[in-house]
Amino acid sequence: MIERTLFQPDHQAFADSFRRFIEKEVTPHHADWEDQGYVAREVWSQAGANGFLCMSLPEEYGGAGADKLYSVAQMEELARAGTTGIGFGLHSEIVAPYILHYGTEAQKQKYLPQMASGAMVGAIAMSEPAAGSDLQGIKTTAIKSADGSHYVLNGSKTFITNGWHADLVIVVAKTDPAAGAKGTSLLLVERGMPGFEKGQRLKKMGMKAQDTSELFFNDVKVPVDNLLGGPAMEGRGFICLMEQLPWERLQIAITAVAAAQAAIDWTLDYVKERKVFGQPVAAFQNTRYTLAELQTQVQVARVFVDKCCELIVKDQLDTQTASMAKYWTTDLQCKVMDECVQLFGGYGYMWEYPITRAYADARVQRIYGGTNEIMKEVISRGMGLPAR
């Protein structure tokens, strides 16, 4: 196996510390959280108190000023443990960076310290009932009032991670519906604003402990000061989304590889113990060859994703490469889960086994963050192939 060179000793020490946090504060409760459809709110404040949220934020905003590799280590630990209910990654490395990169100083001072402490949970609302991967097709509108003091926000969003707990939601809306993508803006909508309502917690095939909700906006008066980035950023929301998508898609790839490796590790342990016809399942050639093939493919994926992580730290990861990583690793993740379930036999279909939950959790990875079909479209356009 190729020795990883991505992490320094400090990153590994952080990973060890976070692993202990998972073992103490997350794993013992995760099954109950799956039953109720969301994690306990207390785990957010516990994570904040231990410095496990928004690590890459500058210290002046409550973070640790750490590089993104600390977040990579955190994502891998969550995937390794199969604790998919925890929405720290989206909160810390999607929502917070939008505010850090595009927000006004007042917005940064108001929201980021609270996000870092866990006092405020963040979400981003892109997908709609009729618009998923095609963000240009959103129907939610935010029309400025006649006196210019606020926007009137109307529309609905669905499949919103952290939506149930969210205290702050970055809402993608059309501030100029006639301008298409150039009329898209990002608004900071807070819990308690009149007309902002949360719908039912959605019951999913997998990731059952991750709170995923519908959000509704009915004539919500959003102050103009809550336009992300202020007046200069009106109509520039689509550009912001495109700039941040490579990191979002790489996060999905990081999780995919770590989850696939965890599945192989669980399966190795199982096939060595489980006996069929008087011998361990591991003794059969089919078992050995299947696991050898899967481990080879996951090793190749890890080397590629680690290289992408090196690029993202240097701010050099391009959209096409991130799309390659997202589509290829999530396809591989689903393949690994399927093959490993098969090696578990009937027990691979029992919910109490981690491999079963991992199989169900994996499927959405090929859908969110842009479907894998969209990833291939992005890659082909980057190659100069014409789109019809």
Side-chain angles (χ1 to χ4, degrees):
M1 298 290 286
I2 297 174
E3 182 179 357
R4 297 182 78 184
T5 59
L6 183 66
F7 298 128
Q8 298 299 315
D10 286 350
H11 298 119
Q12 190 57 58
F14 172 83
D16 294 341
S17 176
F18 187 65
R19 184 180 306 157
R20 291 191 293 271
F21 176 83
I22 293 174
E23 291 171 350
K24 179 181 179 182
E25 305 294 351
V26 179
T27 301
H29 311 291
H30 203 265
D32 291 337
W33 294 342
E34 287 181 334
D35 289 339
Q36 71 181 11
Y38 58 96
V39 305
R41 180 61 188 252
E42 290 73 23
V43 77
W44 286 92
S45 55
Q46 292 166 344
N50 282 278
F52 294 140
L53 297 177
C54 303
M55 293 88 66
S56 61
L57 286 179
E59 293 183 17
E60 62 189 291
Y61 300 124
D67 62 51
K68 286 186 173 68
L69 296 183
Y70 287 86
S71 293
V72 173
Q74 184 180 72
M75 295 169 201
E76 291 186 350
E77 289 301 322
L78 287 169
R80 185 192 66 81
T83 48
T84 55
I86 304 297
F88 295 168
L90 181 136
H91 170 92
S92 299
E93 291 297 342
I94 296 179
V95 180
Y98 271 99
I99 300 172
L100 178 66
H101 293 145
Y102 307 114
T104 64
E105 185 59 30
Q107 291 168 349
K108 296 175 189 179
Q109 293 287 352
K110 181 178 181 180
Y111 298 118
L112 294 180
Q114 294 189 73
M115 292 184 67
S117 71
M120 179 172 276
V121 175
I124 185 166
M126 299 185 194
S127 296
E128 298 181 0
S133 296
D134 180 16
L135 294 177
Q136 297 188 57
I138 64 170
K139 303 298 183 185
T140 299
T141 60
I143 306 303
K144 189 176 290 186
S145 62
D147 63 4
S149 65
H150 61 270
Y151 294 90
V152 180
L153 178 65
N154 281 286
S156 63
K157 300 289 183 176
T158 193
F159 312 137
I160 307 305
T161 301
N162 294 347
W164 181 254
H165 280 315
D167 304 290
L168 176 69
V169 183
I170 298 177
V171 179
V172 182
K174 293 286 184 65
T175 47
D176 184 357
K182 294 182 179 180
T184 303
S185 300
L186 307 179
L187 281 78
L188 299 166
V189 179
E190 301 176 33
R191 176 194 292 271
M193 285 185 172
F196 172 28
E197 300 176 358
K198 299 178 180 181
Q200 61 179 336
R201 292 187 301 276
L202 301 175
K203 296 181 179 180
K204 309 180 295 296
M205 180 201 309
M207 293 190 172
K208 294 181 181 294
Q210 186 182 94
D211 99 62
T212 308
S213 299
E214 299 173 315
L215 303 179
F216 299 99
F217 309 96
N218 301 301
D219 291 330
V220 182
K221 293 182 178 180
V222 182
V224 292
D225 289 343
N226 282 44
L227 175 69
L228 183 64
M233 294 300 292
E234 186 174 78
R236 295 182 59 82
F238 193 77
I239 295 173
C240 299
L241 294 170
M242 294 302 102
E243 289 177 347
Q244 295 303 311
L245 278 175
W247 176 219
E248 177 182 346
R249 288 167 178 166
L250 178 57
Q251 292 177 55
I252 297 171
I254 291 164
T255 300
V257 175
Q261 185 61 60
I264 291 174
D265 294 342
W266 298 331
T267 306
L268 279 171
D269 290 341
Y270 179 81
V271 298
K272 290 175 183 177
E273 298 295 329
R274 178 70 171 174
K275 290 187 177 181
V276 176
F277 301 123
Q279 59 181 328
V281 174
F284 291 90
Q285 185 183 73
N286 176 71
T287 303
R288 302 196 310 274
Y289 283 14
T290 295
L291 288 172
E293 291 171 4
L294 295 180
Q295 185 62 80
T296 300
Q297 291 165 13
V298 171
Q299 173 70 91
V300 171
R302 170 152 279 168
V303 172
F304 178 49
V305 170
D306 279 2
K307 179 61 178 180
C308 290
C309 290
E310 293 175 2
L311 293 173
I312 200 71
V313 169
K314 300 176 183 177
D315 198 26
Q316 295 176 354
L317 183 65
D318 62 84
T319 300
Q320 287 75 30
T321 304
S323 299
M324 291 176 185
K326 192 271 181 185
Y327 114 71
W328 196 76
T329 59
T330 56
D331 275 3
L332 175 60
Q333 179 187 7
C334 288
K335 175 185 177 182
V336 169
M337 298 305 171
D338 186 68
E339 295 278 13
C340 288
V341 163
Q342 191 70 19
L343 289 173
F344 268 80
Y347 290 103
Y349 204 66
M350 298 296 105
W351 192 253
E352 63 264 29
Y353 278 73
I355 191 63
T356 312
R357 299 193 296 275
Y359 177 89
D361 292 343
R363 187 58 183 86
V364 74
Q365 291 266 89
R366 293 160 59 190
I367 298 172
Y368 60 19
T371 65
N372 284 4
E373 290 74 21
I374 295 294
M375 297 303 96
K376 295 174 186 178
E377 184 68 23
V378 171
I379 296 164
S380 66
R381 292 183 182 183
M383 297 168 65
L385 297 172
R388 294 183 62 183

